[in-house]
Amino acid sequence: MAVPVMWRGTTPHGEDWVLVRRDEGFTLRHGPDEIHIPASGADRISVTRRWWRTTVNVAGVPERAGVLHGLSGDEGRRLEEAVQEALSGSLAAWTERLSTAIETSRRDLRWITEEEVTALLSTRPSIADGEPAVVGHASGAGPLWLTEEGTRRWVRTVNDDVAAAVIQSRRSFFDTVESSPLTDEQARAVVTYDNRVNVIAAAGSGKTSVMVARAAYAVSRELARPEEIVLLAFNKDAATELQTRIQRRFTAAGLPAQGVEATTFHAFGLKIIGQATGRKPTVAPWLTNNDELGILSQIVAELKAADPRFRHAWDWFRLLLFTRPEEDFAEPSAPDAWDPVRRATGYRAMDGTSVKSEGERWVANFLYLHGVTYEYERPYPHDTADAEHRQYHPDFYYPDIDVWHEHWGLDANGNPHPGWTDYLEGVAWKRQLHREHGTTLVETTWAEVMEGDGLSRLEKELVGHGIRLDWDPDRPPVRGVKVVTDADMLRLVRTFMLHVKANSLDRLEVERRLGAGLVRNRRRASIFLDLYWPIHDAWQVRLAAGGYVDFEDMLVQAADHLESGRYVSPYRLVMVDELQDASQARARLTRALVAQPGRHLLAVGDDWQSINRFAGADLSVVTGFHDQFGPGPTVHLTKTFRCHQSITDTAASFVRKNPAQLRKTVVSVHDRPADPAAREGVQLRTVPSAAEVPRAIGDFLTQLRDAIREGVIAAESVSVDVLGRYHQDRGLMPREAPPGIHLAFRTIHSAKGLEADYVVIPNLSAGSYAFPSRIADDSVLALAMTGGDAYPHAEERRLFYVALTRARRGVLLISPEHNPSPFVTELVQDGLVRGVGPRPVATPCPGCRVGVLRPRSGRTGHFWGCSTFPACTYTCNTVPLPGERPSKTMSTARRPPF
């Protein structure tokens, strides 16, 4: 500690005053009183003069204001000089400490961490009168204004210089620590040895090499001992690869690897709980056997058998409330049916009736499931046509009770859609008709049915009018109409449970979120929660009965032990792989691991590859890294060693349209125009039907075989992965592959982290089991998640990006020509794919830009219509060229002419 500096004086009343400066601050004593002011608050001392009297004040200490007053002019000037000298000396001492830290960093080539900078700034004297101190810049770049930001800029410059010097001086280490020399950006990620480092790694950019080299660098420079290093991976295969690479590369570098631990989050959580409690828990066997939906099915069956109200609510939600939870009044969902009688698009109900809106479909399904006989848009029995009105056709008519039913398109405030003119006048006219003719009218509104308890109220009204309801959840829909199954419901429940547990939510917090308006349809969400919590409780009872834990509780309990101090982390260096797959529970465990001073976290991830939301992954963990873990540098790995630039450009152009993702550049190291593979890129082949997919794949494999034989591909064999969106896409595989072709099928989710020479995506369609998946995230998940991604098909777009970037040399997309995926249409419109094969690539629909134009014929002859009909009713007489505006011969009629 520095020797204290002291100034003395005497007040007019004979009291001695003493001002003492030490490195940690100031002490002002007079008589029995003593006030301590930290160095960072030195400007709180001020000396004021009025006439011949002087007063010493300490700002922010009102009870001590005017601690010395009435000093004579000479004594006041003496004290004022002492205060100014103390302030100046304190800043000089602090500046000297900063300069020493920087000189030491340059001498030892040691990174100055955020923790060290924060500690220095906490003792920095405040600068009086708004005048920042100026010191010489150690790099010779001139004076530096020592504001907080100036200090940080100075440290960043020093760290940049240190990193460059370390990379240069240890070039041999970085060239040999992995099997291939590290690039400059990989080496920079390794030597950026701050407390919190976020590495954004493009697909195929060598993130594993960075993690292995980081561990070796820490050991070689004695920044951490092997037993103080842990690497946390998302799954067992990744952890095993890391451990193998650590052992192999440490041995090659002559470094001790014993003690470096690479493990999964779940195995690590079990270890912490075991060491903290003395009893290592057992994971529930139905989880290790991937049978969690089976256990949930058993739980639901037991709850149904024990409580008829639960059974009714389950089927009510499944059949009436599950479908289209994202329905928006201002932007209604696209129609999915065509009514040839009314010659209009519509929404097909379970009984086959085509109705005009999603809300009417909910009503029609309610009536069908209750066995209610109704007629849709039956003409009103009284003549209503006049100069202003057509003949009246109410929405529903119940012949058994002679009651009419209107479903009004009104929101919660009683307002119609902004584009509907004279709608309220029409409502008033229809109501008046029923009053004049004495007919009975039942009314519902869009807001009541879609966002409230409109169906329950309708049930009571119909019973009151004499209808006998016969609820039968097993009543089969007409052919072609799909209903939500128990399995669909169970998947929603499981996803909700994953996020509830990962975020450590209880009933009170979920109810608070419900009240905060995180979901629009609060009644629907309330019904779901009434179903969810009994299932949740039964799940917990099963865990307790067997002495088991599930994966989410395990992570939360491990974090609890760390935060409470029951387990003290021995790790100085923590590295996390695939951060984009981390749940909030994993993020919490990671924060707890590095909460103590002197800990270092390096996390590697790519938000473009975040595809595991269904398993609890939270994209904000990587996009909001510094909010989650604290300030520090972000390092980008932009060079991919896997894909050629043509593939990289296509994949990046496609996925970066999502505005919620981090902007980044990806550059291939294989961009060699002389290499034929560099020109293969992403190709599209259209087929008449799914039955032709195996043949298309077979043709592609034959072309690869011929290219190998002719020397166009400079290899004796190549690998081809067929990547399906669903397991059932395996059925599209050809029976065998030609010699020299190593063929495998994988789902895209299971292919993450893998690569092949070529990738085939065999079923890019827009129908059932489509890609993008038509199963949207349910709105109730907002009650359990920290935040979502509102961009259309955001996660499916990332999944498609993952599929494209598994390929080293080329990608073949296969799509039905008349029912393509909207992803295919988008790629064609943007000029990002090249058509191959005997059939031409279809023209994207200018109307919706989602479907493609396909030939049709009707009463007026042949024409072209959109493949998404009836969702889009665009028609034209001739096919426009790409980018061409519809000509006068083209029609954009709402209904096709047949």
Side-chain angles (χ1 to χ4, degrees), residues 686-690 763-772 774 814-825 842 850-854 856 865-869:
T686 59
V687 293
S689 66
N763 186 23
L764 281 161
S765 64
S768 299
Y769 294 98
F771 192 9
R774 298 177 67 181
I814 302 178
S815 170
E817 60 184 338
H818 296 316
N819 192 33
S821 162
F823 289 173
V824 169
T825 307
V850 174
V852 297
L853 296 180
R854 57 184 299 184
R856 288 181 176 168
C866 183
S867 61
T868 67
F869 174 82

Side-chain angles (χ1 to χ4, degrees), residues 462-519:
L462 292 179
V463 170
H465 286 293
I467 284 284
R468 180 180 177 275
L469 301 179
D470 180 22
W471 169 257
D472 182 4
D474 298 322
R475 190 170 274 121
V478 299
R479 184 177 180 180
V481 176
K482 298 184 179 299
V483 297
V484 176
T485 65
D486 279 350
D488 296 325
M489 283 283 289
L490 293 173
R491 281 189 286 270
L492 174 60
V493 168
R494 180 58 179 149
T495 302
F496 193 82
M497 180 184 291
L498 287 169
H499 289 285
V500 164
K501 287 171 165 282
N503 292 316
S504 300
L505 304 179
D506 56 18
R507 283 175 172 79
L508 186 63
E509 174 59 19
V510 174
E511 288 296 330
R512 185 197 67 77
R513 292 177 172 218
L514 178 63
L518 293 184
V519 294

Side-chain angles (χ1 to χ4, degrees), residues 523-817:
R523 177 169 174 77
R524 176 180 182 274
S526 294
I527 294 174
F528 174 80
L529 293 178
D530 289 342
L531 293 168
Y532 171 76
W533 287 115
I535 300 172
H536 179 104
D537 292 342
W539 176 278
Q540 295 301 108
V541 167
R542 290 208 175 205
L543 290 175
Y548 304 135
V549 295
D550 62 16
F551 293 127
E552 292 72 43
D553 286 344
M554 178 199 314
L555 296 175
V556 171
Q557 289 176 25
D560 285 340
H561 292 308
L562 276 162
E563 291 167 354
S564 67
R566 291 186 293 272
Y567 175 85
V568 179
S569 170
Y571 303 102
R572 300 184 65 82
L573 173 57
V574 176
M575 288 185 276
V576 177
D577 189 20
E578 304 283 13
L579 186 68
Q580 75 278 353
D581 291 327
S583 62
Q584 283 296 328
R586 288 181 174 87
R588 180 185 169 195
L589 177 59
T590 302
R591 285 194 300 271
L593 273 175
V594 295
Q596 298 301 315
R599 302 301 199 266
H600 295 78
L601 168 66
L602 178 138
V604 184
D606 180 9
D607 60 305
W608 288 5
Q609 299 185 69
S610 180
I611 60 173
N612 287 309
R613 197 178 190 206
F614 69 93
D618 189 333
L619 182 64
S620 68
V621 175
V622 63
T623 58
F625 175 88
H626 297 300
D627 295 330
Q628 294 269 351
F629 303 105
T634 295
V635 181
H636 289 264
L637 301 182
T638 64
K639 291 183 173 60
T640 176
F641 298 88
R642 180 185 301 152
C643 308
H644 282 284
Q645 193 65 47
S646 54
I647 299 174
T648 295
D649 289 344
T650 295
S653 296
F654 177 82
V655 78
R656 68 164 56 105
K657 289 185 179 181
N658 184 351
Q661 291 166 186
L662 303 175
R663 303 294 295 177
K664 61 177 74 73
T665 300
V666 184
V667 179
S668 173
V669 300
H670 301 300
D671 191 15
R672 300 188 298 273
D675 184 353
R679 297 192 296 271
E680 291 176 5
V682 181
Q683 302 175 349
L684 170 65
R685 176 167 176 171
T686 59
V687 293
S689 66
E692 296 295 318
V693 172
R695 178 183 297 178
I697 298 176
D699 291 346
F700 178 67
L701 300 181
T702 300
Q703 293 168 9
L704 292 179
R705 181 204 61 190
D706 294 344
I708 293 173
R709 289 177 176 177
E710 296 167 6
V712 176
I713 295 177
E716 294 182 357
S717 64
V718 294
S719 58
V720 178
D721 278 0
V722 178
L723 302 183
R725 176 61 183 84
Y726 308 96
H727 287 283
Q728 68 185 43
D729 290 335
R730 182 186 297 274
L732 300 173
M733 290 278 285
R735 293 186 177 182
E736 59 182 3
I741 308 296
H742 301 292
L743 184 63
F745 174 84
R746 314 177 198 277
T747 64
I748 302 174
H749 280 97
S750 66
K752 188 167 176 292
L754 305 178
E755 59 184 50
D757 291 317
Y758 295 90
V759 159
V760 177
I761 306 177
N763 186 23
L764 281 161
S765 64
S768 299
Y769 294 98
F771 192 9
S773 172
R774 298 177 67 181
I775 304 173
D777 282 341
D778 196 290
S779 59
V780 299
L781 294 178
L783 297 176
M785 301 180 72
T786 56
D789 193 338
Y791 194 71
H793 304 303
E795 180 142 338
E796 291 289 295
R797 296 179 72 87
R798 294 192 290 269
L799 189 64
F800 189 56
Y801 173 83
V802 168
L804 294 176
T805 55
R806 298 311 92 194
R808 288 188 285 263
R809 301 172 69 94
V811 179
L812 176 65
L813 310 179
I814 302 178
S815 170
E817 60 184 338

